[in-house]
Amino acid sequence: MVKVICRIKPPIRNNTLITQDNELLFIKTERGIDKKKYVTKYYKLDKFYNEKTSNIEIYNNEVKPLLINSFYLFLYGHTGSGKTYTLFGNDYVNGIFHNIFNEINYKAEIEAIELRSTGSYNLLNNKIVTLLENDNKIKLYNSEKIKINNKHEFNSFVNKIKSKRKTGISKYNNQSSRTHLIINIYNDGKKFVIVDLAGNERAPEMVKGINYDETTYINSTLLALKECFRNSSIKNNKYIPYRRSKLTR
């Protein structure tokens, strides 16, 4: 089962309204031939959270109930929309990642894989991670698991991720993630997969000097991911085009 949850970033204008838990009204101003006109759009998802919702509320409502089984969690949105804040928080607020480890008493094995336009890498030692397929199963080589035993080791791991992950400057964000980050958490026979996707960015909006190959790579992998979700939603469809990118593999 796939659930799609939207968290609203504090809007610049007062133009969003959650009319029901799963419906949002968006008001957009467009310039007509002789005057401005207002266009309204409704969006319907599984759940909307407004800009006043805290990280801990989202964790308690959406993530904590999943810990009884293995699960995948994708964080997706335009660059600067708050994905990394939701996942890692800041110096004052814990993110989903911290709250998960607090729940499991900071005991787990972890892999951290960064997908760049140049390939897949073990984020902790920068070695190339090779993806090989056997009997329709993907196996990772050079992906290293590290063991977390306490909060101190967990904090050290998070600091390494933040210092080593590649970022760049976009039109909207001075520290925009230019790579996809995949964190595999192994705990008590379960596997929690967290995917912090690179910021979705239109090529014309990238500031001068940014590598446009990165933008093309990011957008093409996000398209491949979208096609996998789209095909999986079709009843009795057995074809999932996951071989289109390393992200979906």
Side-chain angles (χ1 to χ4, degrees):
M1 181 186 74
V2 175
K3 284 184 71 176
V4 182
I5 310 298
C6 176
R7 182 186 199 180
I8 300 172
K9 184 179 180 180
I12 297 174
R13 302 175 186 86
N14 188 23
N15 61 349
T16 59
L17 177 66
I18 298 175
T19 57
Q20 298 183 45
D21 280 353
N22 64 338
E23 288 188 6
L24 178 136
L25 171 64
F26 176 70
I27 303 170
K28 182 180 180 183
T29 305
E30 293 183 351
R31 187 174 295 278
I33 297 175
D34 56 350
K35 60 181 180 180
K36 292 181 179 179
K37 61 178 182 178
Y38 294 95
V39 178
T40 59
K41 295 184 178 181
Y42 267 102
Y43 296 94
K44 191 170 184 179
L45 301 174
D46 291 295
K47 180 78 174 179
F48 284 97
Y49 287 97
N50 65 26
E51 67 276 12
K52 297 178 182 178
T53 307
S54 66
N55 279 355
I56 190 64
E57 287 179 81
I58 292 176
Y59 168 76
N60 284 334
N61 292 342
E62 304 298 340
V63 181
K64 186 176 179 179
L66 302 178
L67 295 178
I68 59 173
N69 295 306
S70 300
F71 65 84
Y72 279 74
L73 174 65
F74 292 84
L75 292 97
Y76 168 80
H78 198 281
T79 182
S81 59
K83 301 180 301 297
T84 303
Y85 169 74
T86 301
L87 180 59
F88 291 114
N90 57 27
D91 292 339
Y92 310 100
V93 177
N94 283 339
I96 288 173
F97 193 52
H98 296 72
N99 287 315
I100 287 175
F101 267 82
N102 184 56
E103 193 73 31
I104 61 177
N105 296 317
Y106 298 97
K107 295 186 183 300
E109 289 186 310
I110 312 183
E111 293 171 310
I113 303 164
E114 186 176 42
L115 304 186
R116 309 171 191 163
S117 58
T118 55
S120 307
Y121 296 85
N122 179 339
L123 190 56
L124 300 179
N125 59 22
N126 209 37
K127 289 183 179 179
I128 294 176
V129 174
T130 305
L131 284 72
L132 296 179
E133 186 171 350
N134 185 21
D135 295 329
N136 293 323
K137 291 185 179 180
I138 303 296
K139 293 188 177 181
L140 305 177
Y141 292 88
N142 269 347
S143 178
E144 175 189 3
K145 290 181 185 177
I146 67 166
K147 195 168 185 179
I148 303 295
N149 296 293
N150 52 55
K151 189 174 182 179
H152 174 75
E153 292 177 357
F154 169 78
N155 288 333
S156 176
F157 173 82
V158 173
N159 289 334
K160 285 182 181 178
I161 288 178
K162 290 181 177 180
S163 64
K164 292 177 179 293
R165 190 177 183 189
K166 186 173 182 182
T167 60
I169 301 174
S170 76
K171 182 177 178 180
Y172 300 106
N173 194 355
N174 288 331
Q175 286 293 318
S176 175
S177 299
R178 309 310 303 149
T179 62
H180 305 304
L181 172 64
I182 300 175
I183 302 176
N184 296 324
I185 305 169
Y186 301 89
N187 170 261
D188 196 24
K190 295 168 288 190
K191 182 180 179 183
F192 311 140
V193 181
I194 299 176
V195 185
D196 187 16
L197 296 166
N200 185 16
E201 189 81 59
R202 295 178 182 175
E205 293 177 344
M206 298 302 292
V207 297
K208 187 176 180 180
I210 290 295
N211 190 336
Y212 275 70
D213 289 342
E214 288 181 351
T215 306
T216 302
Y217 166 76
I218 291 168
N219 291 341
S220 65
T221 52
L222 291 177
L223 176 61
L225 179 62
K226 182 179 76 171
E227 290 302 307
C228 285
F229 279 120
R230 179 178 290 171
N231 278 269
S232 66
S233 68
I234 300 173
K235 190 175 182 179
N236 298 324
N237 181 25
K238 295 182 180 180
Y239 173 68
I240 306 297
Y242 68 90
R243 292 186 178 91
R244 292 185 182 180
S245 78
K246 289 184 177 179
L247 172 64
T248 47
R249 290 180 69 199

